[in-house]
């Protein structure tokens, strides 16, 4: 099922969150925001555009780094208030040089195992 992008639900700030996913590896690459204009530009050019909240401007991913994102599909969720750009990432997504912005682990179930607990008990105690 497809939806007109004009019908997406933007927040009060006119922005909608965009999860960017690598279409080859399925990795989640980054989370950013888009306004209607950024989505239009993305569809028009085939390259991922976002709204930079810090610089308050339209921004094409890779415009300075060269690490562009060729957008293959855009999905919306059931509430039409979050997008996924599925992309072919050139180079890396993160400005730190890591492939994905999500390269730092906060927690994993291994923490339970260290304490002698298994997955079976859900680590609850
Ligand atoms: Zn990053």
């Amino acid at each position: 099922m497809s939806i007109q992008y004009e019908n997406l639900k933007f927040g009060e700030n006119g922005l909608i969150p965009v999860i960017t996913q690598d279409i080859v590896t399925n990795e989640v690459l980054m989370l950013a925001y888009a306004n209607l204009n950024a989505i239009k530009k993305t569809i028009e050019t085939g390259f991922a555009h976002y709204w930079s909240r810090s610089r308050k401007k339209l921004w094409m991913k890779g415009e300075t780094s060269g690490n562009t994102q060729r957008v293959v599909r855009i999905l919306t969720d059931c509430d039409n208030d979050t997008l996924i750009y599925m992309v072919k990432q050139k180079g890396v997504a993160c400005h730190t040089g890591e492939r994905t912005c999500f390269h730092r682990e906060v927690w994993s179930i291994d923490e339970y195992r260290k304490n002698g607990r298994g997955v079976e008990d859900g680590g609850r105690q």
Side-chain angles (χ1 to χ4, degrees), residues 93-96 100-101:
C94 186
H95 74 284
T96 62
T100 161
C101 285

Side-chain angles (χ1 to χ4, degrees), residues 63-83:
E63 66 189 4
T64 52
S65 65
N67 294 334
T68 50
Q69 295 170 335
R70 179 55 92 173
V71 179
V72 180
R73 300 175 77 197
I74 301 176
L75 305 179
T76 182
D77 74 347
C78 50
D79 300 319
N80 296 324
D81 64 1
T82 306
L83 295 179

Side-chain angles (χ1 to χ4, degrees), residues 5 7-19 31-36 38-39 50-51 75-77 79-85:
Y5 62 84
N7 296 332
L8 295 170
K9 291 188 194 122
F10 295 86
E12 280 171 28
N13 51 12
L15 301 178
I16 187 167
V18 182
I19 299 161
L31 172 73
Y33 292 84
N35 58 10
L36 185 56
I39 296 167
Y50 304 95
W51 176 259
L75 305 179
T76 182
D77 74 347
D79 300 319
N80 296 324
D81 64 1
T82 306
L83 295 179
I84 300 180
Y85 286 177

